[in-house]
Amino acid sequence: AQKVTQAQTEISVVEKEDVTLDCVYETRDTTYYLFWYKQPPSGELVFLIRRNSFDEQNEISGRYSWNFQKSTSSFNFTITASQVVDSAVYFCALSTGNQFYFGTGTSLTVIP
Amino acid sequence: GAGVSQSPSNKVTEKGKDVELRCDPISGHTALYWYRQSLGQGLEFLIYFQGNSAPDKSGLPSDRFSAERTGGSVSTLTIQRTQQEDSAVYLCASSPIQNYNSPLHFGNGTRLTVT
């Protein structure tokens, strides 16, 4: 069975702090993709990053970075020097075959 | 517009009434997905379309839910005899191809409230 777990339901940080959002996944497939999406208060989910199961190289994009570790089935997301605009719900997702499996999301609040 | 468009953005209906939710995917996107997001919950898969056909309807909660897609474009999700537990945000997403490495592009959703 495929499953994505985001154990952190809500996180609050003060602006400029770093914050890491955890994502743990389960799958028996050897080929799969992992995604992160951001859902700001406006409601529309915005695609942030995609990573395939054969590429464990970490990625950095500006203040965002992602750490993919197959050994622990984790795909964690770190925001450095957080800003108020980062306040949103963040979803991790796993894709295998024809399906996308989403976690329950982590609500991040950045306090000015 | 260039994005996925959903209408209406908000719908309030009385228990027992039927509702139709509409999704206009990005032009040329062959795959279309419906999800439901209840308050404080994650995304619950409902159904997906490849072209006009729906290979996977496993997520539809009951036979009161149905969906169709015509012309490989617009999709309609219909809920018959609505119940209060149907209250949620219904999200539509599309992708260029039915390929699990292709990210989904989401609309803003339809917020359904059943009174």
Side-chain angles (χ1 to χ4, degrees):
Chain A
Q2 332 288 358
K3 185 179 180 181
V4 176
T5 301
Q6 294 180 256
Q8 305 153 307
T9 53
E10 295 183 2
I11 300 176
S12 290
V13 298
V14 177
E15 198 171 22
K16 297 185 182 178
E17 286 185 348
D18 299 347
V19 58
T20 295
L21 310 182
D22 298 333
C23 173
V24 174
Y25 63 93
E26 296 176 27
T27 181
R28 292 184 179 180
D29 289 11
T30 55
T31 303
Y32 52 89
Y33 281 78
L34 297 164
F35 300 80
W36 275 96
Y37 285 84
K38 174 182 180 180
Q39 186 178 38
S42 60
E44 182 175 347
L45 277 91
V46 177
F47 163 70
L48 295 178
I49 190 172
R50 169 186 57 205
R51 170 69 67 222
N52 76 57
S53 53
F54 299 107
D55 182 4
E56 287 193 72
Q57 194 169 21
N58 292 333
E59 182 159 341
I60 298 174
S61 175
R63 296 185 296 108
Y64 295 171
S65 62
W66 291 268
N67 181 282
F68 175 31
Q69 291 192 336
K70 289 181 74 172
S71 62
T72 56
S73 297
S74 65
F75 186 44
N76 296 337
F77 174 28
T78 297
I79 302 174
T80 303
S82 60
Q83 300 177 2
V84 173
V85 293
D86 297 327
S87 296
V89 180
Y90 291 85
F91 289 93
C92 180
L94 165 71
S95 180
T96 67
N98 300 324
Q99 262 283 28
F100 286 78
Y101 303 88
F102 285 83
T104 52
T106 297
S107 177
L108 173 65
T109 301
V110 181
I111 303 166
Chain B
V4 177
S5 177
Q6 291 188 247
S7 60
S9 54
N10 280 285
K11 177 70 177 180
V12 180
T13 189
E14 292 180 354
K15 178 181 174 181
K17 300 284 188 183
D18 297 351
V19 295
E20 285 189 354
L21 312 180
R22 176 187 169 104
C23 173
D24 278 285
I26 293 173
S27 178
H29 281 197
T30 59
L32 186 147
Y33 297 75
W34 283 99
Y35 288 86
R36 179 168 72 175
Q37 185 177 24
S38 301
L39 186 62
Q41 302 297 311
L43 277 69
E44 175 188 3
F45 167 78
L46 299 178
I47 189 172
Y48 91 85
F49 289 89
Q50 175 58 31
N52 291 334
S53 64
D56 188 351
K57 303 180 182 179
S58 63
L60 294 177
S62 74
D63 58 8
R64 296 186 295 106
F65 287 72
S66 63
E68 65 175 12
R69 188 179 185 194
T70 56
S73 181
V74 173
S75 176
T76 302
L77 177 69
T78 301
I79 309 173
Q80 295 178 312
R81 305 180 302 281
T82 51
Q83 303 294 313
Q84 288 186 332
E85 61 263 28
D86 299 334
S87 296
V89 176
Y90 290 80
L91 293 166
C92 177
S94 68
S95 69
I97 56 176
Q98 218 315 290
N99 186 318
Y100 61 125
N101 74 348
S102 182
L104 301 179
H105 300 261
F106 283 87
N108 284 331
T110 293
R111 182 175 299 276
L112 175 65
T113 303
V114 182
T115 61

